[in-house]
Amino acid sequence: MHLTIFGSGYVGLVTGACMAEMGNHVVCVDIDEDKIARLNAGEVPIYEPGLDDYISRNREAGRLEFTTDVGKGVAHGLFQFIAVGTPPDEDGSADLKHVLAVARSIGEHMDDYRIIVDKSTVPVGTADQVKAEIATTLESRGRKIEYDVVSNPEFLKEGAAINDFMKPDRIIVGTDNPRTTELLKSLYEPFNRNHDRVISMDIRSAELTKYAANAMLATKISFMNELANLAERFDADIENVRIGIGSDPRIGYHFIYPGAGYGGSCFPKDVRALAISAGKVGYDAALLTAVEDVNNRQKHRLFEKISQHFDGNLDGRTVALWGLSFKPRTDDMREAPSRVLMEALWESGARVRAYDPEAMDEARRLYPEQAGMTLCESAYDTLEGADALAIVTEWQEFRSPDFPAIKASLKTPVIFDGRNLYEPDAIEALGIEYYAIGRGRH
């Protein structure tokens, strides 16, 4: 099948590469000339395991193209995927200007039936706005052309997006036309070989499903962080509690790991946007507001522990920091807990020596001339001259480090573990002070 994807960011690139991998002919359109030039030169602008191989292979096979030519894109695909960003507006709601700009572009160039697929994460009712935008544009052209707008939200985890797309848990298809539902099922048929994963529903329910999924996962994380803070005050161990409640199949073990708070491009933005959408229809979504409040507070817990340990005197001290990305297997630092910690340390006069396996370039981009930040070549390089070690991202290479080397390198042997990677008794038996999240009074 012929597909056009507007937006060559995270969702657009993964969707385009995976659709092409199944034999479809995909054209990705983006107005960013530099990004398209880099993609056509074989450079992938984001880090996602396996994505560069998929893009390279399908470009060479002629199944995947990148262009800034909007007209070419609209003419190419029966399916017109909208996968542009929906960044937070000033009030925290999703900004739909890019989505609606694509809708106008489609309306300006289409000459035949098209299926417009909302892939971006958008508020309930966006499909109606997209439909109206196209209708207005077609009317201004004096044209009457049939089209359908559907909701087909993505459920991709950064760091595992290729596998998520190729072997999806579910494929949500929101339509108001049975014919369109069947066409979408045909498009996704190669991803349904084992069993049918397509769940069809009305458009507004599909739009809400995406927000509901992210809000539910964020709620589990904030709930566990709330319990972790209680565990510290009760002198209990949240890791024992986690195992105890996770064994209940009604709860399960997924997303009940306490830590330094969630970040990234989805959970913070989507929880906020859903709460604001609720307000616009006259409903006070108190739980969603609490989820966000708990998460924002949790991002400060590591700094609070560090400051308390050093009696509030951080001026002139150096903290080694392991992990900059908001989660492992990505270079994404959007709303990452590491940024909250570093900025608090700098404000207190401390210096940071940081390392991340993938996010170093992103850190340089975000903090190009930041005094007090040194980006190091390895995890152990960060320890040189440092007063303490803080762990913010649970990369695999941090799980079993050389603790004697850590102790020997630090001025004061102390670890602040924002991801509960180690056993407190074992670390303290080595003569290293250890602060974790929810593991007793430390």
Side-chain angles (χ1 to χ4, degrees):
M1 294 187 179
H2 284 201
L3 290 73
T4 298
I5 298 177
F6 287 91
S8 294
Y10 186 84
V11 174
L13 287 177
V14 172
T15 301
C18 291
M19 284 294 190
E21 182 74 8
M22 289 302 193
N24 298 296
H25 186 185
V26 180
V27 171
C28 292
V29 181
D30 201 293
I31 60 173
D32 188 333
E33 295 182 358
D34 178 64
K35 181 185 288 184
I36 293 299
R38 290 167 64 190
L39 286 162
N40 281 324
E43 182 182 347
V44 180
I46 61 173
Y47 173 74
E48 175 63 34
L51 180 59
D52 50 352
D53 291 336
Y54 270 53
I55 290 177
S56 175
R57 180 165 59 249
N58 287 287
R59 278 188 66 246
E60 291 175 4
R63 293 189 298 266
L64 182 60
E65 302 177 43
F66 299 100
T67 183
T68 58
D69 187 339
V70 174
K72 176 182 177 180
V74 176
H76 172 76
L78 167 64
F79 298 95
Q80 303 275 311
F81 281 79
I82 300 179
V84 294
T86 53
D89 211 336
E90 290 183 3
D91 64 354
S93 61
D95 187 346
L96 297 178
K97 64 183 178 184
H98 301 305
V99 171
L100 297 178
V102 172
R104 283 192 297 274
S105 295
I106 294 172
E108 288 167 357
H109 292 90
M110 64 186 289
D111 290 314
D112 198 0
Y113 175 71
R114 290 292 181 266
I115 299 172
I116 294 85
V117 183
D118 282 339
K119 200 71 174 171
S120 301
T121 300
V122 293
V124 177
T126 298
D128 293 337
Q129 295 186 55
V130 169
K131 185 179 293 186
E133 198 74 37
I134 295 173
T136 300
T137 306
L138 287 174
E139 185 178 351
S140 70
R141 293 174 57 198
R143 300 293 303 275
K144 288 187 177 181
I145 303 171
E146 187 182 3
Y147 64 94
D148 284 300
V149 178
V150 307
S151 175
N152 174 220
E154 53 84 15
F155 297 94
L156 306 176
K157 298 187 295 291
E158 290 193 41
I162 296 293
N163 188 67
D164 285 346
F165 200 102
M166 300 299 284
K167 299 177 181 179
D169 297 318
R170 74 285 206 198
I171 301 167
I172 302 295
V173 174
T175 72
D176 56 8
N177 184 335
R179 177 185 63 178
T180 312
T181 302
E182 293 306 312
L183 288 168
L184 265 294
K185 284 184 176 181
S186 295
L187 175 64
Y188 279 107
E189 197 275 335
F191 303 92
N192 281 296
R193 300 307 245 178
N194 183 273
H195 64 275
D196 188 9
R197 296 175 174 86
V198 174
I199 303 172
S200 59
M201 59 184 72
D202 63 278
I203 294 173
R204 286 181 169 240
S205 294
E207 290 172 330
L208 182 56
T209 296
K210 169 61 178 181
Y211 273 126
N214 280 352
M216 174 63 79
L217 296 174
T219 298
K220 293 182 74 172
I221 294 170
S222 280
F223 180 73
M224 286 305 294
N225 282 332
E226 194 86 298
L227 286 180
N229 294 332
L230 277 175
E232 290 182 5
R233 289 157 176 79
F234 291 149
D235 199 19
D237 188 337
I238 193 62
E239 289 301 309
N240 291 333
V241 176
R242 178 182 65 80
I243 294 169
I245 67 174
S247 61
D248 185 333
R250 296 172 300 174
I251 298 173
Y253 291 104
H254 293 297
F255 281 83
I256 61 168
Y257 289 87
Y262 60 75
S265 63
C266 295
F267 288 4
K269 173 176 70 71
D270 293 351
V271 170
R272 201 172 303 134
L274 183 56
I276 290 171
S277 293
K280 289 180 178 179
V281 294
Y283 183 75
D284 178 15
L287 179 58
L288 295 176
T289 302
V291 168
E292 183 181 13
D293 290 345
V294 168
N295 188 60
N296 290 336
R297 184 177 64 194
Q298 196 69 16
K299 289 182 178 180
H300 293 273
R301 287 296 293 136
L302 274 185
F303 174 75
E304 291 167 1
K305 290 174 180 285
I306 294 169
S307 180
Q308 184 176 15
H309 176 81
F310 289 106
D311 298 321
N313 181 22
L314 295 175
D315 190 21
R317 295 192 182 276
T318 298
V319 176
L321 193 150
W322 287 5
L324 293 166
S325 58
F326 84 93
K327 62 182 282 189
R329 294 171 64 81
T330 181
D331 61 354
D332 194 342
M333 289 180 63
R334 284 175 287 186
E335 303 214 32
S338 64
R339 298 178 64 176
V340 175
L341 174 58
M342 289 192 296
E343 290 165 13
L345 289 168
W346 293 327
E347 189 174 339
S348 298
R351 296 182 296 272
V352 174
R353 293 176 58 82
Y355 167 76
D356 187 282
E358 294 295 340
M360 304 292 270
D361 288 343
E362 181 67 0
R364 293 185 184 97
R365 186 187 71 82
L366 291 170
Y367 304 105
E369 298 178 1
Q370 177 62 53
M373 181 174 74
T374 302
L375 295 174
C376 302
E377 293 298 316
S378 74
Y380 294 100
D381 287 346
T382 67
L383 305 174
E384 183 179 337
D387 295 280
L389 167 62
I391 301 169
V392 191
T393 313
E394 64 275 31
W395 286 94
Q396 292 281 11
E397 66 180 86
F398 303 154
R399 291 183 179 273
S400 184
D402 185 341
F403 290 108
I406 293 173
K407 181 180 179 181
S409 298
L410 292 173
K411 291 180 181 178
T412 54
V414 57
I415 295 174
F416 299 88
D417 182 359
R419 298 299 172 185
N420 289 358
L421 297 184
Y422 315 127
E423 282 300 319
D425 291 344
I427 303 305
E428 294 187 345
L430 297 172
I432 301 173
E433 280 197 85
Y434 182 69
Y435 296 82
I437 303 295
R439 308 204 70 178
R441 295 200 178 277
H442 265 12

